[in-house]
Amino acid sequence: MSKLHLVFGGRVADPRTLDFDDLRSIEVVGIFPDYASAEKAWRAAAQRTVDDAEMKYVVVHLHRLLEPDLLAKPEA
């Protein structure tokens, strides 16, 4: 399975949280096939808004959401 990653961001109420102010204004940067390309896109998006402390971009590991059983530790 591809290890898909989603990069998105928007204005947050508190920069220490992921509490986005307006979900309708979330910017979806894109979906990427690996972490390296997702991180590159995240850095570019974050750099565009570096002077705005209330803008936050994140990388979400979609492959972990699509197959959560792979994260479970095997029982001994």
Side-chain angles (χ1 to χ4, degrees):
M1 180 177 98
S2 297
K3 294 201 172 186
L4 298 175
H5 296 78
L6 167 67
V7 179
F8 72 92
R11 188 161 303 284
V12 291
D14 180 346
R16 297 170 294 182
T17 70
L18 290 174
D19 185 18
F20 290 96
D21 282 344
D22 182 9
L23 296 180
R24 292 173 291 173
S25 67
I26 293 280
E27 176 192 357
V28 176
V29 177
I31 297 175
F32 301 88
D34 53 59
Y35 184 78
S37 58
E39 182 182 25
K40 184 176 179 181
W42 167 80
R43 286 188 187 281
Q47 187 63 39
R48 285 195 314 269
T49 60
V50 71
D51 293 329
D52 187 348
E54 294 178 343
M55 289 297 288
K56 184 177 247 184
Y57 287 86
V58 295
V59 176
V60 177
H61 300 270
L62 289 179
H63 60 279
R64 292 181 181 169
L65 296 174
L66 295 172
E67 294 196 39
D69 293 338
L70 294 178
L71 293 176
K73 296 185 183 221
E75 294 182 25

